C-alpha cells in the first residue's frame, strides 16, 4: 500500500505511534502490528535519509515493535506456554499508549486554560508605597540551588576577603548606573545588562552594592517582571 | 467593626497584595473576625465586583482570592504596558506538567516512563519557570528527587487548588471515544 | 464602545499601572476616545468608588489618577506586610543560606570568602529568622563560631532532612540534558 509520511516532529516514539494509529484509523485495542511497525520503521528511515539525529528511544521502540510482530506470528500454542494464558503481546504497548494519551488530553486541557488565563492580569508584585519591599523575593528550594550555582559559575576564581574602598568606588558606580539608566529611558535596563561590563567579582559586587544603595534611597526601582522574569532596573520618576 | 468596614479592609488587602490571599492569611491580619465570616465577605465582594460590571474581577485561584483584570480588557493593558504576549508553553512542557500535576509527587523516571522520552531538559525548564518544585527524595535506592507543582502553576492556569484539575479520563472512556471494543 | 465599557478599561488600567496615570497617558491607549470624555469618566469612577464605601479610593495626584487605599485601612496593610515579609528572603540571605546549607558546618570567614562581601548582617538576619543556628566553635586560632542550618530551614523548603537537598551534580545533569532526547 502507498502512504505518505509527512515529516512532523514527534516528541517520542509513543507520540509517533499514536499519530500512526490515528492516521490509519485503526483500533488501538487491536493494532495491526505489521502495518504500524512498517510505517514506524519507514519514518525512522526517512529521518536517517534526512540526516536527522534519531534518539535512542525511537530505536528501542522499533526493536519492541519487531519483537511483538514476531511473537504474533508464532503459533498460538507456543506462546501459551511462555505467557500467562497467552496474553496478547501487544497488551503492554497498548497500556502505555493509552496512559500517554490520557496525559496528552490533560495537557491539551491545560493548554486551553493557559489560553484564557494568560490574558488575565494581576500585580506580579505588591502595590507598595514604601519602596524597599521591591527587592524582596519569595523563594523556593530551586532558588537556593540556583543562587549557589550562579555564584559558583560567575565567579570561579577564589577570592580572599578584601575591604572595598567604598565611598569613592561605590559613589562612582552609583553615578555610572544613573547615567546608563538616563540613556536607557523609561524601559529601564536588565540587571544583567548593567552588570555585563563588570568582569571581576569585585566590580560585580560594587555594582550590586550601588544598585542596592540606589534602591534604598529610591533613585531606582528594581522589579522582577511576572514572578520570575529577569530583574529590570528603572529610574524612579520622581 | 461593621461588615461594610471589614469588607473594605479585605478589599484593600486584596488590592495591595501581589498574590492570592487565602482566608487564613486574611484572618492572620483581622484576628478578631472569624474565618467563616471572612470567607462569606470575600464571596460577597466577588459578587459585587461582578455585578457592577467593572474592569476588575475577584477570582479564587491558587488557594486564595485575588483581584485581576478580565480577559476582555487584556488588549488595552498590553498596550499600556507595552507587553508583548508571552510565549505559550510548548507541548512537551504541557505534557510533563500534566503528568506531574496528576501524579505528584513523583520522580523523573516516572515521567519518562509515561512520555517515553528523556525529560530532564523539560523538567529543568519547568523548574526555571517555577511551575514545578523539588520537594524531597523518594525512599528507594538512589534516592531520586521528587517533583511537585507549585502555587505559580495553579495561578498560571487559574486553578483554585490541585483538586480543581479536571479528572483524568479513564481508559474505558477513551475507548468509547475511539469507538473501539474491549481489550482481548 | 459604551461608557460603561470604557470606564471598565480605565479602571483596569489604573489598577494594573500601580502609579498615577494621566488622562493623556490613558488617551494614548484608548486612542479613539477624546480626552475630555476620559477625564469625565475618571471623575465618575472616582465618585463611584467614594459612594460604594469601598476599601479603595481614586485620587488625583502628580498630574494623574491612581487607585489607593484610604488611611483608615493602613494599619491592616502594615500588618499584612509584616506577615508577608517574615516569610520572605532577600537575595543576599538566599545566597548565604545556600552556602551554609551545602557547606555546613562552617564559619563566617568561609561564607565571606565565597560571597566576597561582609556577611555579618545577613547571618544575623538568618539567625533571627531561625534558618541558621550556632552549633559550636571551630578548633582553630580565634575559635570562630560555626554555623549550620536548622529544622525551620528544612521546613521552609519542604525537606525532610539535609540530605534531601539536591546535589549540584544532580542539578547540573538536568541542565545539561536540556534539549537532548527530542528530535531536532
Amino acid at each position: 500500500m502507498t502512504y505518505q509520511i509527512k515529516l512532523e516532529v514527534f516528541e517520542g516514539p509513543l507520540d509517533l505511534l499514536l499519530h500512526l494509529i490515528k492516521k490509519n484509523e485503526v483500533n488501538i485495542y487491536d493494532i495491526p502490528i505489521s502495518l504500524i511497525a512498517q510505517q514506524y520503521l519507514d519514518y525512522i528511515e526517512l529521518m536517517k535519509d534526512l540526516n536527522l539525529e534519531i534518539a535512542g528511544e525511537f530505536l528501542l521502540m522499533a526493536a519492541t515493535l519487531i519483537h511483538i510482530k514476531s511473537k504474533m506470528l508464532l503459533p498460538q500454542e507456543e506462546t501459551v506456554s511462555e505467557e500467562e494464558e497467552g496474553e496478547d503481546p501487544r497488551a503492554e504497548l497498548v497500556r502505555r499508549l493509552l496512559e500517554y494519551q490520557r496525559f496528552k488530553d490533560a495537557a491539551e486541557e491545560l493548554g486551553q486554560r493557559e489560553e484564557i488565563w494568560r490574558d488575565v492580569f494581576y500585580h506580579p508584585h505588591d502595590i507598595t508605597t514604601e519602596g524597599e519591599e521591591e527587592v524582596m523575593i519569595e523563594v523556593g528550594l530551586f532558588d537556593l540551588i540556583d543562587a549557589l550555582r550562579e555564584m559558583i559559575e560567575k565567579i570561579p576564581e577564589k577570592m580572599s576577603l578584601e575591604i572595598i574602598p567604598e565611598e569613592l568606588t561605590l559613589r562612582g558606580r552609583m553615578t555610572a548606573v544613573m547615567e546608563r539608566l538616563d540613556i536607557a529611558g523609561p524601559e529601564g535596563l536588565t540587571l544583567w545588562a548593567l552588570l555585563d561590563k563588570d568582569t571581576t567579582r569585585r566590580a560585580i559586587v560594587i555594582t550590586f552594592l550601588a544598585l542596592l544603595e540606589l534602591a534604598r534611597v529610591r533613585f531606582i526601582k528594581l522589579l522582577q517582571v511576572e514572578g520570575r522574569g529577569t530583574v529590570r532596573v528603572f529610574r524612579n520618576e520622581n | 467593626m461593621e461588615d461594610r468596614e471589614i469588607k473594605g479592609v479585605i478589599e484593600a488587602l486584596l488590592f495591595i497584595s501581589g498574590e492570592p490571599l487565602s482566608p487564613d492569611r486574611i484572618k492572620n491580619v483581622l484576628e478578631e473576625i472569624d474565618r467563616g465570616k471572612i470567607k462569606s465577605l470575600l464571596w460577597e465582594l466577588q459578587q459585587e465586583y461582578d455585578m457592577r460590571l467593572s474592569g476588575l474581577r475577584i477570582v479564587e485561584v491558587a488557594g486564595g482570592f485575588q483581584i485581576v483584570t478580565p480577559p476582555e480588557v487584556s488588549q488595552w493593558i498590553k498596550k499600556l504596558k507595552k507587553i508583548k504576549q508571552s510565549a505559550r508553553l510548548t507541548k512537551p512542557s504541557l505534557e510533563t506538567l500534566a503528568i506531574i500535576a496528576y501524579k505528584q509527587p513523583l520522580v523523573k523516571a516516572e515521567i519518562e516512563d509515561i512520555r517515553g522520552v528523556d525529560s530532564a531538559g523539560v523538567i529543568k525548564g519547568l523548574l526555571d519557570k517555577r511551575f514545578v518544585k523539588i520537594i524531597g527524595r523518594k525512599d528507594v535506592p538512589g534516592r531520586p528527587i521528587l517533583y511537585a507543582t507549585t502555587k505559580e502553576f495553579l495561578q498560571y492556569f487559574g486553578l483554585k487548588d490541585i483538586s480543581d484539575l479536571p479528572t483524568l479520563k479513564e481508559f474505558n472512556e477513551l475507548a468509547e471515544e475511539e469507538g473501539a471494543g474491549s481489550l482481548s
Side-chain angles (χ1 to χ4, degrees), chain A, chain B:
Chain A
M1 80 176 287
T2 56
Y3 50 87
Q4 277 206 310
I5 300 174
K6 249 195 332 191
L7 191 77
E8 289 177 52
V9 176
F10 293 100
E11 248 315 287
L14 295 174
D15 205 22
L16 171 55
L17 279 176
L18 284 172
H19 170 79
L20 292 176
I21 288 165
K22 250 173 234 154
K23 198 186 67 168
N24 288 289
E25 295 180 346
V26 297
N27 181 352
I28 195 163
Y29 293 101
D30 188 18
I31 300 168
I33 205 78
S34 305
L35 174 76
I36 297 298
Q38 192 51 55
Q39 291 186 9
Y40 183 94
L41 296 173
D42 287 347
Y43 182 86
I44 289 189
E45 274 310 310
L46 181 64
M47 289 198 294
K48 272 189 198 152
D49 290 345
L50 293 168
N51 277 326
L52 291 172
E53 195 192 324
I54 300 166
E57 294 101 347
F58 279 93
L59 300 174
L60 191 67
M61 179 57 77
T64 308
L65 289 174
I66 292 166
H67 180 70
I68 294 174
K69 192 174 143 189
S70 66
K71 260 194 170 173
M72 294 194 60
L73 289 173
L74 287 176
Q76 197 63 23
E77 305 81 52
E78 287 186 39
T79 51
V80 171
S81 54
E82 283 172 32
E83 315 274 335
E84 288 171 37
E85 296 300 307
E87 199 198 4
D88 191 317
R90 297 169 295 184
E92 171 60 15
L93 181 63
V94 171
R95 190 199 59 75
R96 287 190 68 193
L97 286 171
L98 286 173
E99 175 84 343
Y100 181 51
Q101 183 62 50
R102 285 208 301 166
F103 287 103
K104 274 175 77 90
D105 290 344
E108 199 159 308
E109 286 199 50
L110 281 182
Q112 283 161 12
R113 293 196 76 99
E114 179 186 31
E115 193 55 36
I116 300 167
W117 281 84
R118 69 194 195 125
D119 270 341
V120 169
F121 292 91
Y122 53 89
H123 283 277
H125 279 272
D126 283 9
I127 298 170
T128 165
T129 36
E130 303 115 272
E132 275 142 70
E133 268 129 295
E134 285 168 343
V135 272
M136 309 292 274
I137 44 168
E138 193 128 14
V139 295
L141 183 56
F142 185 72
D143 303 274
L144 193 69
I145 314 153
D146 231 19
L148 187 65
R149 249 170 59 96
E150 266 180 49
M151 275 185 294
I152 289 170
E153 276 168 18
K154 290 227 177 59
I155 312 143
E157 80 261 42
K158 194 172 184 311
M159 285 276 301
S160 58
L161 176 65
E162 43 184 319
I163 311 290
I164 302 156
E166 276 112 340
E167 285 306 334
L168 256 184
T169 328
L170 189 60
R171 211 163 269 167
R173 194 54 59 104
M174 281 163 69
T175 316
V177 167
M178 290 307 284
E179 274 167 7
R180 288 191 66 187
L181 287 175
D182 270 343
I183 297 163
E187 297 289 289
L189 281 173
T190 65
L191 186 56
W192 299 123
L194 277 168
L195 288 171
D196 69 358
K197 295 228 166 77
D198 299 324
T199 44
T200 68
R201 105 175 286 164
R202 212 177 90 165
I204 292 174
V205 169
I206 294 171
T207 305
F208 250 118
L209 290 175
L211 287 171
L212 290 177
E213 183 58 22
L214 286 169
R216 200 182 64 79
V217 297
R218 293 204 231 157
F219 278 21
I220 60 165
K221 271 194 288 196
L222 298 170
L223 292 177
Q224 209 174 15
V225 187
E226 295 215 349
R228 182 161 217 253
T230 352
V231 176
R232 282 194 94 84
V233 185
F234 302 89
R235 217 197 140 108
N236 233 348
E237 296 299 329
N238 335 325
Chain B
M1 276 199 282
E2 272 176 56
D3 277 10
R4 186 65 257 174
E5 214 179 322
I6 305 171
K7 220 171 355 182
V9 174
I10 294 177
E11 187 178 12
L13 293 177
L14 290 183
F15 173 74
I16 60 113
S17 172
E19 56 188 15
L21 280 185
S22 65
D24 286 332
R25 200 81 176 272
I26 296 170
K27 166 89 183 138
N28 281 341
V29 177
L30 287 162
E31 285 163 285
E32 281 155 42
I33 319 296
D34 74 70
R35 206 179 159 285
K37 181 85 183 176
I38 289 171
K39 211 152 180 188
S40 71
L41 289 177
L42 275 164
W43 281 325
E44 268 180 43
L45 210 52
Q46 191 172 35
Q47 260 185 333
E48 282 170 22
Y49 269 61
D50 285 346
M51 290 208 323
R52 68 185 176 89
L53 301 169
S54 74
L56 302 172
R57 298 275 178 286
I58 295 178
V59 294
E60 210 178 332
V61 72
F65 289 77
Q66 186 168 29
I67 301 180
V68 299
T69 60
E72 306 92 81
V73 302
S74 70
Q75 53 164 319
W76 309 109
I77 288 169
K78 283 177 207 157
K79 204 165 162 196
L80 175 78
K81 291 268 186 184
K82 301 197 181 89
I83 300 170
K84 279 182 226 108
Q85 188 63 272
S86 56
R88 298 188 56 179
L89 289 172
T90 61
K91 247 172 135 187
S93 302
L94 283 172
E95 262 177 42
T96 307
L97 210 41
I99 295 168
I100 298 174
Y102 283 96
K103 302 221 146 192
Q104 61 190 312
L106 84 176
V107 303
K108 182 160 79 83
E110 293 173 271
I111 297 166
E112 291 175 338
D113 235 29
I114 295 173
R115 297 190 62 225
V117 284
D118 177 273
S119 302
V122 187
I123 295 171
K124 168 76 168 46
L126 292 172
L127 282 166
D128 278 341
K129 289 203 170 75
R130 293 180 148 224
F131 289 148
V132 165
K133 64 183 174 195
I134 294 165
I135 60 153
R137 289 176 185 280
K138 196 170 178 175
D139 243 345
V140 294
R143 313 229 314 126
I145 291 171
L146 279 167
Y147 298 95
T149 55
T150 60
K151 236 194 213 173
E152 284 84 352
F153 160 78
L154 294 174
Q155 199 168 9
Y156 184 78
F157 290 99
L159 297 162
K160 272 185 229 178
D161 53 61
I162 203 68
S163 67
D164 202 20
L165 278 171
T167 33
L168 266 188
K169 283 185 199 146
E170 286 308 321
F171 286 176
N172 35 14
E173 286 175 56
L174 274 173
E176 274 160 32
E177 259 173 55
E178 316 260 333
S182 62
L183 192 59
S184 54

